[in-house]
Amino acid sequence: MSISQTAPKADRVGIAVATMVFTDLTLSIADAIIKVTISEMPLSQFIFLRSCVTLPLLISILKWRFPQVSLRPAHPGWAIVRSSLLLSSLLIYYASLPRLDFSMAAAVYYTIPLFITLFAAFWIREPVGAQGWVGVALGFIGVLLMLKPQAGDLGIHAVMPLVSAILYALAMVLTRTKSRGENPFILALIFNLIAIVLAGGASLAAVIAGSEGGQSLFMDAWIPMGWTQWALIGLLSMTMLIGSVGTAIAYQLGPSSIISTWDFSYLAFAVLWGVVLFSERLDTASMLGIVLIALAGIIVIRR
């Protein structure tokens, strides 16, 4: 039995909103941890180990909750392309975190709804309407306000969350058009398999290249793993599962227009952690940019 075949649940908006906010809180804490720790561990090592922990957990959930579902997706080619886009998006976003203010990276990354709107309009001809285009315009004004004050100092790192958002939005439109009937847990399974293969391959290439291969944002020789590092991988693997399951539960129990709006609570948490944990101080232009991006996202979602 797939998720699409289960009986629809009655709306429980209060629980759905609470679940969405808790999920965003968990994910924001996880990303803050990644910002602090990822510079000490190659991204390929981090992604490989996290997916190695997450994969058996996903298989256990599938065997327990959906025992009749085949582990093979109906359209494996599109599932692989989708997973590759998502993995590239995460790699670029994670690589930007040690080099940008947390609140800035999160705000630019949350232009995802704007790009989904644009791609859906031009790719699958979804109507946008005047309200949708106003939202897109406001969002990109917000991006300019976020990037302009610091672009000269940060260079390519400043636009990395924007590239990440574009790749994620492409993956979401692909999900809607080519993988709409797939079980979400199967898609998550394929994503983690792709992550293991690609991150493992990158790690192996780094080992073979040795010191002559140089360093990059995404791959380098593995660092030794102690109990602290293994505990960190386990913790971040659990937050990844909470993010996937929590989002699914929230959208099952509440209208998407309401839940999508509360999904922007991640931005509020990102600003909070930026100030409290990283002593970030946002100027007026950056604060206005964050507000415009959040407002734009809500507008295009609720149009």
Side-chain angles (χ1 to χ4, degrees):
M1 180 182 293
S2 67
I3 286 180
S4 60
Q5 293 172 314
T6 58
K9 299 179 180 179
D11 282 351
R12 302 174 67 181
V13 177
I15 294 177
V17 168
T19 302
M20 190 73 258
V21 173
F22 174 75
T23 299
D24 279 343
L25 173 62
T26 302
L27 292 176
S28 69
I29 292 173
D31 288 345
I33 293 172
I34 290 172
K35 176 177 173 62
V36 174
T37 60
I38 200 65
S39 59
E40 302 173 1
M41 180 183 296
L43 268 173
S44 57
Q45 180 180 359
F46 168 70
I47 294 294
F48 177 81
L49 293 177
R50 190 177 74 168
S51 290
C52 282
V53 173
T54 305
L55 187 65
L57 294 175
L58 274 171
I59 293 175
S60 299
I61 292 173
L62 279 164
K63 292 299 183 182
W64 167 64
R65 183 65 180 85
F66 309 106
Q68 297 179 359
V69 171
S70 170
L71 298 183
R72 177 184 172 86
H75 303 285
W78 288 117
I80 290 172
V81 173
R82 171 192 178 275
S83 297
S84 300
L85 288 169
L86 282 177
L87 180 61
S88 300
S89 173
L90 286 179
L91 283 171
I92 293 172
Y93 182 62
Y94 289 161
S96 74
L97 288 178
R99 297 163 177 83
L100 297 175
D101 285 350
F102 187 35
S103 51
M104 176 183 177
V108 177
Y109 182 69
Y110 258 68
T111 56
I112 290 170
L114 311 183
F115 287 111
I116 290 177
T117 299
L118 286 175
F119 295 150
F122 291 105
W123 188 354
I124 56 179
R125 304 299 181 184
E126 278 193 358
V128 177
Q131 180 177 331
W133 289 118
V134 168
V136 170
L138 286 177
F140 287 117
I141 291 172
V143 170
L144 290 176
L145 289 172
M146 292 294 298
L147 296 181
K148 186 177 180 181
Q150 306 178 59
D153 297 330
L154 295 173
I156 191 173
H157 299 129
V159 299
M160 288 174 70
L162 196 64
V163 174
S164 178
I166 291 172
L167 293 174
Y168 191 97
L170 283 171
M172 292 303 99
V173 175
L174 192 61
T175 301
R176 182 167 185 177
T177 56
K178 302 298 183 181
S179 301
R180 193 168 187 175
E182 302 281 9
N183 185 303
F185 285 93
I186 297 298
L187 292 177
L189 186 73
I190 297 301
F191 169 81
N192 281 278
L193 283 172
I194 295 296
I196 288 173
V197 171
L198 295 183
S203 298
L204 181 60
V207 171
I208 295 173
S211 59
E212 297 179 357
Q215 296 182 346
S216 73
L217 290 173
F218 307 107
M219 55 186 287
D220 195 7
W222 276 31
I223 64 170
M225 295 285 292
W227 286 109
T228 302
Q229 286 78 18
W230 282 113
L232 180 65
I233 292 294
L235 173 64
L236 293 175
S237 298
M238 291 305 300
T239 61
M240 185 178 184
L241 271 181
I242 290 173
S244 300
V245 176
T247 301
I249 291 174
Y251 278 92
Q252 285 176 344
L253 295 181
S256 59
S257 60
I258 295 176
I259 304 307
S260 297
T261 301
W262 281 96
D263 192 12
F264 281 86
S265 61
Y266 179 94
L267 277 181
F269 291 127
V271 173
L272 175 62
W273 303 142
V275 172
V276 173
L277 301 178
F278 306 116
S279 301
E280 297 173 1
R281 294 294 180 266
L282 297 174
D283 57 22
T284 302
S286 296
M287 284 299 299
L288 180 59
I290 290 175
V291 171
L292 286 179
I293 290 171
L295 178 62
I298 293 171
I299 288 174
V300 300
I301 288 168
R302 298 174 68 91
R303 71 183 190 278

